[in-house]
Amino acid sequence: MITETEAYIGPHDLASHAARGRTKRNEPLFGPPGTFYVYLVYGLHWMLNVVTGAVDYPAGVLLRSLEGIEGPGRITKTLGITGQLNAKAASKQTGVWFSEGIRPTRKRVVRSARIGVDYAGPVWSAKPYRFVLTE
DNA sequence: CATTTGATTCACT
DNA sequence: GTGAATCAAATGA
């Protein structure tokens, strides 16, 4: 069960790695939806993202917490995910995929500002693009 | 080619 | 509350 996510939407989103155009690092974000975007931050933590936008439109979702695992860096550490999954598709072929679960009511999803994106400026760092599943 | 900087976490003070 | 760990890619000279 995924319990916390953050959205990074489009080339105009200054908090997104895609804000400064297509680069070698964010290339997977421009790929087809369902593709994983995995990258290293601070030299030690892998971040797991899923591409959600159409081809050539950079949009993705960062998985911040799963049930029982809090923190994006801990998810990858616990699941053993590294850069080898980058640009791979979410499917049984690659070993990591999503299965149908329950659909929470809207009331259980709380929106808030994204974390650790102060560099994006006051406007974009304040966008309520963080989604947390509550009890 | 040198420097800067993170979609963070953990250990201390 | 503050700071270190640690590295690849982006940016600048």
Side-chain angles (χ1 to χ4, degrees):
Chain A
M1 173 75 77
I2 297 170
T3 55
E4 183 182 359
T5 61
E6 276 181 12
Y8 290 84
I9 310 170
H12 55 280
D13 183 354
L14 297 184
S16 170
H17 287 168
R20 278 172 251 179
R22 194 170 188 147
T23 64
K24 185 175 181 181
R25 168 112 138 268
N26 62 33
E27 175 69 26
L29 278 175
F30 293 80
T35 303
F36 285 120
Y37 171 39
V38 184
Y39 68 95
L40 193 65
V41 272
Y42 302 119
L44 28 135
H45 299 295
W46 292 102
M47 299 286 108
L48 177 61
N49 301 255
V50 189
V51 177
T52 55
V55 172
D56 290 333
Y57 185 81
V61 170
L62 165 70
L63 274 56
R64 291 194 63 88
S65 296
L66 303 185
E67 191 170 40
I69 309 176
E70 286 189 11
R74 299 181 128 205
I75 290 178
T76 53
K77 183 182 177 186
T78 303
L79 299 184
I81 290 171
T82 65
Q84 52 89 20
L85 194 67
N86 191 38
K88 298 277 180 63
S91 75
K92 293 190 178 182
Q93 304 294 314
T94 58
V96 183
W97 71 95
F98 301 92
S99 59
E100 188 79 14
I102 65 169
R103 288 174 180 272
T105 57
R106 279 178 181 276
K107 283 188 175 181
R108 291 186 62 195
V109 181
V110 175
R111 301 179 61 154
S112 55
R114 290 175 292 187
I115 298 197
V117 292
D118 290 349
Y119 63 86
V123 176
W124 287 96
S125 62
K127 294 282 183 184
Y129 289 169
R130 174 168 171 248
F131 303 84
V132 183
L133 185 65
T134 59
E135 302 281 329

